[in-house]
Amino acid sequence: MLPQEIIRKKRDNEQLSLTEIQEFISGILNGKVSESHISAFTMAVFFNGMNTDECIALTEAMMNSGDVLNWNDLNGPVIDKHSTGGVGDKVSIMLSPIIASCGIYNPMISGRGLGHTGGTLDKLESIPGYNTTPNNLIFREIVKNVGCAIIGQTANLAPVDKVIYGVRDVTATVESIPLITASILSKKLSAGLNGLVMDIKLGNGAFATDITFANGVGKNIIQVANHFAMKTTALITDMNQPLGHSIGNALEIIEVIEYLNCTKINPRLHEVVMALSAEILLNSKIVNDKESGIQMANEALQNGKAGETFEKMVSELGGPNNILQNKISTFTNSPIIKPVKSDKTGVITKIDTRALGLAVVELGGGRKKTDDIINHSVGLTNVLGLGEKIINDQDLAIIHAQTEDQFKQAEKIIQNAYNISDVDIVSTPTIIEYLD
Ligand code: URA
């Protein structure tokens, strides 16, 4: 079948058959479907949507475009968490060793930063020696022995997603519920998981900026995942301010280390880590209710088991031994470390979170083009959050920059990103909704 006929059908809001969807996806692999076809197809889906049958067919075809792993040799639940992406979101790196310490196997296949959002993989690559592309045998051994391994998409997992996502990213077709569902689930299903917990970010630092859309994404993902017997639940969490007090690759790993050492714990970040960990423990039936899940996760954090697991994972993947004890010598500082000051007195009532993410991209901590090399040491620390009181000339954040020009550019963006007013604001919840 000609790709343009499939596109025409979707353009005219007709339902695609399983065969048409399979042919379109295999055409991407064998070169019969070009990037122009993909961009027209994704735009047609963006406007006309897909029903559940079509979305299941698309997910399955994308999953089968590469290898599908299985973990039958492991004696325990294999569960993962996936975030739709935010600013300062280092939850995965904290949560993975916590849940592994509680008896979950967590083979986590992560992505790079996209636009204004950071990527788990970029953050981990700031650890000297950490190999995000181990071969399959090593990956399996580490998951088996340590309980978790966070790596990049090395294996040939859902390879067409990479192609389709690349086109969506530059054709304004990311915000489509069926395309998001198929993209996320094809990767998670090919990773051979028993269960999944989604963290759907909502707010001005996320791609979902309204609750109806975030709800639609969550519900569709749960419905399609259930069809494949991958038990899935979702949390909608706040992204109207950065998560944690740092943004930038190595700086966020330092925040992870401080968290796992229990020396500096950001309350909002902790709440998200605990809620998602509890949801995973509940999904696997290791606990029977959320409260017990939070208690178990908290214990693993406080008694140092999660920290030990993190250290093991890092050293098995080629990073330093005892990273929790040696954080100072592990990372290189940026040459310029200076504060950005407030020019007003009052309460922080609004933060343009996306702008803060873009400030880090301008500093060189993210990519403007897919092949850009990023600077791991730059970013922001001591970032103030919503509702905090500030006086004129007080620090809004500390900028870690490579050059004075980049510092000045970031300084301007950050000052404009903060709204400071003399009226107080009502605090909003960090965990907005549970979907199951
Ligand atoms: N994350 C993904 O992996 N895919 C999407 O489409 C959106 C977020």
Side-chain angles (χ1 to χ4, degrees), residues 229-241:
M230 180 169 67
K231 186 164 183 257
T232 300
T233 54
L235 265 66
I236 298 178
T237 67
D238 178 53
M239 193 28 80
N240 276 315
Q241 57 180 313

Side-chain angles (χ1 to χ4, degrees), residues 98 102 270-271 273-279 281-282 287 289-301 434:
I98 290 177
C102 299
H270 183 55
E271 193 183 342
V273 174
M274 287 298 120
L276 288 163
S277 300
E279 202 59 27
L281 294 170
L282 198 57
V287 295
D289 56 70
K290 281 183 193 140
E291 291 66 35
S292 320
I294 290 182
Q295 198 184 341
M296 187 183 253
N298 220 348
E299 260 168 42
L301 173 68
Y434 283 90

Side-chain angles (χ1 to χ4, degrees), residues 82-84 161 165 168 174 179-180 183-184 187 207:
H82 183 82
S83 159
T84 51
D161 175 61
Y165 200 97
R168 287 170 59 210
V174 169
L179 296 179
I180 293 169
S183 167
I184 293 174
K187 287 177 285 200
F207 71 75

Side-chain angles (χ1 to χ4, degrees), residues 372-408:
D372 280 350
I373 308 236
I374 58 172
N375 182 334
H376 288 110
S377 61
V378 298
L380 312 176
T381 51
N382 298 33
V383 179
L384 292 192
L386 287 176
E388 296 203 53
K389 292 191 171 63
I390 186 154
I391 53 168
N392 186 29
D393 213 33
Q394 191 186 325
D395 301 351
L396 285 167
I398 310 282
I399 300 178
H400 300 239
Q402 192 63 35
T403 66
E404 197 59 44
D405 276 356
Q406 286 173 331
F407 170 84
K408 287 212 174 95

Side-chain angles (χ1 to χ4, degrees), residues 127-130 311-312 314-316 318-324 326 330:
I127 302 174
Y130 191 105
E311 284 197 319
K312 255 193 233 159
V314 168
S315 70
E316 297 266 324
N321 297 326
N322 310 323
I323 191 170
L324 294 198
N326 299 322
T330 303

